[in-house]
Amino acid sequence: SKLANILYTRALANRLSNKENAPIALTCHPGVCRTELGRYIIDPDSIPKALLPIVGGLALPLLYFSKDATMGAQTQIYLSASSKIKPSDAGKFYDNSAEAFTSFEAQNAEEAEWLWKESERLTGLVYNI
């Protein structure tokens, strides 16, 4: 989930904060993108043929509110290549190539640490960062 990604990134950023020349851990939301991933959400064969025009008509407005894959990649490209991103930005969340606000839950350092430790426990992998 987006919340878990933000928390995990903040825990990583915290671990990297005292390392010299460490990468900057950031997280972003690409927005709603039109990609081929949708084919895994709904099986077209599960929709009765008579309803296909109706379902298609209902989905049509999503085209207006979504991005193509190239536009969806812009925030990731910005975060990877921008000279404006500084080590002090570590752990921040971005949307549409700009810092974005997160929920109160996503700012909880204790939950971020718990998620990190729980991930290590469940996977059996410990990262000595």
Side-chain angles (χ1 to χ4, degrees):
S1 80
K2 192 185 316 175
L3 175 59
N5 285 333
I6 294 169
L7 289 171
Y8 199 84
T9 300
R10 289 193 169 153
L12 176 59
N14 185 50
R15 283 167 168 72
L16 294 172
S17 65
N18 294 323
K19 307 288 184 197
E20 191 172 330
N21 296 318
I24 302 169
L26 304 161
T27 187
C28 70
H29 177 33
V32 178
C33 300
R34 295 183 305 274
T35 66
E36 291 296 316
L37 291 175
R39 68 180 173 212
Y40 299 110
I41 296 172
I42 297 174
D43 177 11
D45 294 332
S46 68
I47 302 170
K49 295 207 184 302
L51 292 179
L52 281 176
I54 295 169
V55 171
L58 292 172
L60 195 56
L62 292 177
L63 292 175
Y64 180 76
F65 295 105
S66 62
K67 302 175 183 180
D68 64 24
T70 300
M71 291 305 298
Q74 293 307 302
T75 299
Q76 290 120 325
I77 293 168
Y78 169 78
L79 295 175
S80 299
S82 176
S83 61
K84 294 180 181 179
I85 300 298
K86 306 293 182 206
S88 60
D89 295 319
K92 291 182 179 178
F93 174 71
Y94 288 80
D95 189 9
N96 290 318
S97 300
E99 185 180 352
F101 293 103
T102 60
S103 67
F104 176 75
E105 293 84 3
Q107 299 171 35
N108 188 322
E110 290 176 7
E111 287 294 320
E113 186 60 26
W114 175 87
L115 178 62
W116 184 278
K117 296 285 188 188
E118 187 65 6
S119 297
E120 287 183 329
R121 185 185 71 77
L122 291 171
T123 62
L125 299 172
V126 176
Y127 296 99
N128 297 314
I129 298 174

